[in-house]
Amino acid sequence: MKLKDLKHNFITRLSSTYSIEEIESMFFLLLEHTYNLKRIEFILNSDIEITKENQVYFKQVIEKLSKEIPLQYIIGKTEFYGLSFIVNSNVLIPRQETEELVHWIINEASKIKKKEITILDIGTGSGCIAISLAKNIKNAKVFAIDISEDALKIAKTNAQLNNVSVNFITENILTLKSLSGKFDIIVSNPPYVRELEKSEIQKNVLENEPHLALFVKDRNPLLFYDSIAMLAKNHLVENGFLYFEINQYLGRETCELLTSKGFNTIELRKDLNNNDRMIKAFI
């Protein structure tokens, strides 16, 4: 079997489950993963003979994809903000919207004229936010909290993989009364999808990614924002910033919550899809 035949088989087998664009994107990610070939190099190498071992591997991947298991979990890694991250079912797969939040923070941090910038990431998961900030803000001292020991194992591995230092802490942010020290920046992408919004979630996300990191009860969808805002109010330095990724339907409500906690300068930003997605606030 040649590479071009492998691609045709891949598309044919998965066409009833995914769009052609999604299938081709997954195929070329796998191609880079297995043969270190980029999309642009495919045509010049389309007559390469596929080894029996890789034929078996692609067959197994197709079977998993047909069950809508995310490709990132199948290959065990993904990219975020130009860095490589190990992922499994204990952590959310990092999203483009979160990259936008990280980019915003990095740009704003460049304006902070201090020898050392202290940053706290709450609900770190794979560590994608904390590690990306540590990698790109050279004078940052970064801390990261998560309730899940399994998630923190992945985050610690990712920090080593990307050669950065992050201080990881196991804590339940909903019961935590105080933090050790003060921070220039506190950031969080907490669970914010309401139970009533489950119907909008893709099957591959709903059935594979950790619900602990995704969902909140309909009756109190901002409970994480409430707890984090209270802590931030007491543990941000003067002129320190609080950043959130938010539920696109709850931008106004989240701003009102922050106002009620004493944050009087609040900026709400949209993501590339024109959805309310990010907030920056300070007192």
Side-chain angles (χ1 to χ4, degrees):
M1 179 184 285
K2 294 183 178 180
L3 191 55
K4 60 186 177 184
D5 302 317
L6 181 67
K7 182 187 176 188
H8 176 75
N9 182 56
F10 192 84
I11 292 173
T12 302
R13 290 284 305 278
L14 294 171
S15 60
S16 63
T17 308
Y18 304 94
S19 69
I20 293 298
E21 292 79 10
E22 287 177 301
I23 298 169
E24 288 200 338
S25 177
M26 291 188 291
F27 176 79
F28 287 115
L29 281 172
L30 281 165
L31 189 64
E32 188 167 354
H33 178 64
T34 53
Y35 284 95
N36 200 29
L37 287 175
K38 297 187 180 299
R39 181 188 288 251
I40 198 170
E41 299 171 306
F42 171 76
I43 294 176
L44 295 176
N45 294 277
S46 61
D47 286 324
I48 288 177
E49 289 290 337
I50 305 301
T51 65
K52 291 289 185 182
E53 182 182 6
N54 277 338
Q55 288 183 45
V56 170
Y57 175 71
F58 268 81
K59 182 180 179 181
Q60 292 171 339
V61 170
I62 288 169
E63 289 173 356
K64 291 178 180 179
L65 287 173
S66 66
K67 297 175 183 175
E68 300 195 47
I69 298 173
L71 179 61
Q72 295 92 332
Y73 287 162
I74 296 171
I75 64 177
K77 67 178 184 179
T78 192
E79 279 205 358
F80 179 87
Y81 211 76
L83 302 174
S84 183
F85 287 86
I86 292 169
V87 291
N88 63 21
S89 58
N90 292 307
V91 298
L92 292 180
I93 297 166
R95 262 69 173 184
Q96 180 184 15
E97 295 88 346
T98 311
E99 287 185 312
E100 294 179 57
L101 176 65
V102 165
H103 188 66
W104 190 13
I105 296 171
I106 290 169
N107 283 341
E108 293 297 309
S110 66
K111 303 172 187 176
I112 300 175
K113 304 304 179 185
K114 295 180 69 173
K115 184 176 180 181
E116 181 178 80
I117 299 173
T118 53
I119 300 174
L120 174 64
D121 174 28
I122 297 175
T124 196
S126 66
C128 63
I129 293 176
I131 291 165
S132 298
L133 295 177
K135 192 74 174 180
N136 288 279
I137 304 172
K138 299 306 180 185
N139 60 332
K141 184 175 184 180
V142 182
F143 300 80
I145 290 174
D146 205 284
I147 191 175
S148 168
E149 288 280 8
D150 291 328
L152 286 175
K153 287 178 184 177
I154 298 295
K156 289 173 183 176
T157 301
N158 283 327
Q160 294 173 348
L161 177 66
N162 288 288
N163 195 32
V164 297
S165 176
V166 177
N167 300 281
F168 292 103
I169 305 159
T170 308
E171 284 287 0
N172 181 350
I173 198 63
L174 295 180
T175 59
L176 189 62
K177 301 302 181 186
S178 65
L179 300 169
S180 57
K182 293 203 170 189
F183 302 89
D184 296 288
I185 294 170
I186 294 177
V187 56
S188 184
N189 176 19
Y192 60 65
V193 181
R194 293 171 291 181
E195 298 281 344
L196 63 86
E197 292 159 4
K198 277 187 176 181
S199 61
E200 300 179 25
I201 304 298
Q202 292 179 321
K203 181 182 176 183
N204 63 340
V205 174
L206 193 61
E207 295 188 358
N208 294 280
E209 299 199 43
H211 285 202
L212 179 68
L214 278 171
F215 294 107
V216 288
K217 299 295 183 183
D218 295 340
R219 66 180 181 273
N220 191 12
L222 298 179
L223 79 164
F224 285 96
Y225 297 90
D226 191 308
S227 293
I228 294 166
M230 285 296 293
L231 285 169
K233 183 177 179 181
N234 297 321
H235 291 279
L236 280 171
V237 301
E238 185 177 357
N239 297 319
F241 292 98
L242 173 63
Y243 291 88
F244 279 129
E245 181 173 324
I246 67 166
N247 185 315
Q248 68 190 64
Y249 303 117
L250 299 174
R252 178 179 57 82
E253 291 85 348
T254 310
C255 289
E256 289 174 353
L257 170 70
L258 290 170
T259 300
S260 73
K261 300 297 181 186
F263 291 86
N264 51 32
T265 303
I266 300 166
E267 181 179 351
L268 175 63
R269 277 196 180 184
K270 295 183 182 296
D271 60 24
L272 289 176
N273 296 312
N274 205 36
N275 295 316
D276 289 340
R277 186 65 65 193
M278 296 161 279
I279 283 177
K280 177 181 76 171
F282 68 93
I283 297 176

